[in-house]
Amino acid sequence: PSHFYAVSCYFRRNMICLVIRVRLRPPHFQIIWRPRHIMMAQLIDRKHLKQEMKELLRSAQVSPRGMTCLYLALVLVLNLADSFMGLMNPGLLGTFISILTGLMSMVLASGFVMTNREILALQTQPKSLVCIGGGVIGLEMACYFASIGTKVTVVEMMPKIAGNTDPEICDLLMKTYRKQGMEFCLGAKVEAVTAAGVVYSDAAGQHTVPCDRVLLSAGRRADVTGLGTEAIGLALERGAVVTDARMRTNVPGVWAIGDCNGKLMLAHTAYREAEVAVNDMLGRKDRIDYSIIPSVIYTTPEVACVGETEQSAKEKGLDVQVVKAPMALSGRYLAENPKGDGFCKLLYDRKNRCVVGVHLVGSYASEIIYGAAMMVHSKLPVQHLDKIVFPHPTVGEVVREALFLL
């Protein structure tokens, strides 16, 4: 079997390099991958890139045909081909195609109005910043700039921040951020962005928030523009590629993974979707379950959640018991956060006798949530989970303390 390496780099929380290694049998796997905002020409010479990739593939014993598939994928990445049709040549008939084109902002950024990509390229710190949108990206950027002394105002159209995140966690975040000087305008509709700042309206009337910069962190959508999807009859729904639980599209031999399918726009979701898609290509049984994929907000404090919320459990008619354990039950958390008020909330399904939701706010939440995801995924009875031994002292011990409350 051949090996295929897909290398993807992106910036936001940190610079992250993700290397996916997949074992494949002929026919070979072709990736269409086009990150719009990574200026590859500035990072690495095209000829050098091509040579480096050839050496990488040779070392992995990839066949010449497999190299051709990868090269054509890079051609599309570097905008040397116009669409699918530029790749649909007779020499590649029968090749598997996977679409990984990601997402884009619905409004173009300018020098004054920026997305999370452009704002990270700033050479000087803005004195004041308005974040339009209080979702994950907006909060992460707002938290960062507030921590370095920028005056931050978050303008959010909904009555709460952080989307579907547990309301109690949202309240704690706002309480914490307000102590840092951050301001929130909720239930606010942005009317205009002028040289003077951001104009919004709410129940009290119209207001203007002056600022040096504006972060546009709302209104993002899947991006399949310029791929010629209509030429092969690819089904779209609200601009996203329609996929099933095996990542298949309506076109035989074409799968779609990542943000372009609009399911759950997270990097680790795309990683799992890629596994499912490749397994399906190879005839292995596999399906994606979005209900057990954790989500994280990389703020201070961190937020991490998996499974049902109280609201979603109610909508599904689940009979759940909700317990909440303060993070201060962990000696390590208390030592590192003397005044910390983080907590762990568990949702327990009384009928099926298993944990169906875990919500954390506090330090190391992003590192703990994978274990909680395993609890939700396994559906193990609580009496089995009680037997799990957590190392001491760790912040993760709070999950065990919450289990004892059931």
Side-chain angles (χ1 to χ4, degrees):
S2 302
H3 291 73
F4 185 88
Y5 287 77
V7 183
S8 167
C9 295
Y10 66 93
F11 297 86
R12 184 164 96 226
R13 299 166 184 132
N14 293 294
M15 180 169 180
I16 301 175
C17 181
L18 172 66
V19 181
I20 305 173
R21 180 182 179 183
V22 183
R23 287 183 177 269
L24 292 173
R25 302 182 185 92
H28 299 282
F29 181 40
Q30 176 179 337
I31 280 190
I32 297 174
W33 172 62
R34 189 182 54 189
R36 289 175 175 270
H37 297 281
I38 297 176
M39 305 308 294
M40 303 186 83
Q42 296 177 11
L43 295 176
I44 188 166
D45 178 82
R46 290 184 180 182
K47 292 182 180 179
H48 179 59
L49 172 65
K50 182 179 176 182
Q51 186 61 35
E52 288 290 320
M53 292 305 296
K54 278 187 175 181
E55 293 301 322
L56 175 63
L57 292 167
R58 283 197 188 99
S59 66
Q61 299 178 340
V62 175
S63 68
R65 181 180 168 84
M67 288 190 191
T68 301
C69 291
L70 176 60
Y71 174 68
L72 288 176
L74 288 176
V75 164
L76 189 58
V77 170
L78 298 172
N79 295 319
L80 299 178
D82 295 328
S83 66
F84 277 115
M85 304 315 293
L87 298 171
M88 297 291 194
N89 62 68
L92 288 175
L93 290 179
T95 297
F96 291 131
I97 299 176
S98 184
I99 310 167
L100 305 87
T101 51
L103 54 77
M104 66 180 296
S105 173
M106 292 175 64
V107 182
L108 295 177
S110 65
F112 179 58
V113 181
M114 317 180 88
T115 70
N116 61 292
R117 291 183 174 93
E118 292 83 21
I119 202 165
L120 291 176
L122 286 176
Q123 299 298 310
T124 57
Q125 175 190 343
K127 293 182 179 179
S128 56
L129 172 71
V130 170
C131 297
I132 300 177
V136 174
I137 296 175
L139 291 177
E140 289 176 347
M141 292 293 98
C143 183
Y144 165 70
F145 279 99
S147 69
I148 62 174
T150 297
K151 173 64 177 176
V152 177
T153 302
V154 176
V155 179
E156 170 57 47
M157 185 170 63
M158 302 302 290
K160 61 183 282 292
I161 60 172
N164 295 325
T165 304
D166 181 89
E168 203 168 352
I169 290 179
C170 296
D171 291 342
L172 177 58
L173 288 180
M174 289 182 60
K175 174 185 172 183
T176 303
Y177 297 155
R178 279 174 171 150
K179 289 180 180 178
Q180 299 174 10
M182 201 182 299
E183 294 184 2
F184 294 89
C185 306
L186 304 181
K189 179 183 178 182
V190 174
E191 302 289 352
V193 177
T194 68
V198 175
V199 180
Y200 73 91
S201 59
D202 58 16
Q206 194 171 87
H207 316 270
T208 299
V209 183
C211 60
D212 295 334
R213 299 279 183 175
V214 175
L215 170 66
L216 178 64
S217 55
R220 304 186 75 82
R221 60 177 174 81
D223 180 20
V224 293
T225 56
L227 286 182
T229 54
E230 64 284 349
I232 61 170
L234 201 65
L236 304 179
E237 186 175 299
R238 299 180 66 182
V241 181
V242 178
T243 57
D244 62 14
R246 293 174 292 182
M247 310 319 302
R248 293 181 180 182
T249 69
N250 65 307
V251 179
V254 179
W255 290 254
I257 66 174
D259 297 340
C260 68
N261 63 35
K263 300 286 188 181
L264 192 57
M265 296 179 176
L266 300 168
H268 49 276
T269 303
Y271 194 104
R272 174 64 184 136
E273 288 175 334
E275 292 175 341
V276 172
V278 171
N279 282 334
D280 192 52
M281 293 173 192
L282 299 179
R284 299 169 182 164
K285 291 184 179 180
D286 201 358
R287 301 175 76 87
I288 186 103
D289 182 358
Y290 292 104
S291 69
I292 58 170
I293 294 179
S295 60
V296 178
I297 306 178
Y298 291 90
T299 52
T300 304
E302 291 183 352
V303 175
C305 312
V306 65
E308 305 292 345
T309 63
E310 292 182 65
Q311 180 63 30
S312 66
K314 181 179 179 181
E315 291 171 354
K316 294 178 180 179
L318 300 178
D319 179 18
V320 297
Q321 177 186 355
V322 180
V323 298
K324 188 174 75 169
M327 287 279 190
L329 290 175
S330 160
R332 178 173 178 179
Y333 178 85
L334 191 61
E336 296 178 356
N337 304 272
K339 297 182 180 180
D341 46 10
F343 60 83
C344 170
K345 179 182 287 188
L346 298 187
L347 277 69
Y348 174 69
D349 185 341
R350 290 189 177 96
K351 179 181 178 181
N352 297 305
R353 301 170 61 208
C354 62
V355 175
V356 293
V358 180
H359 305 267
L360 299 159
V361 55
S363 54
Y364 307 107
S366 63
E367 303 292 342
I368 301 168
I369 197 64
Y370 84 93
M374 292 175 65
M375 288 166 46
V376 175
H377 175 61
S378 66
K379 295 182 172 59
L380 285 174
V382 170
Q383 56 264 37
H384 290 180
L385 296 176
D386 283 345
K387 305 297 189 295
I388 298 174
V389 178
F390 286 72
H392 176 81
T394 60
V395 178
E397 289 177 280
V398 70
V399 176
R400 191 165 192 253
E401 297 295 334
L403 288 170
F404 286 152
L405 297 177
L406 292 173

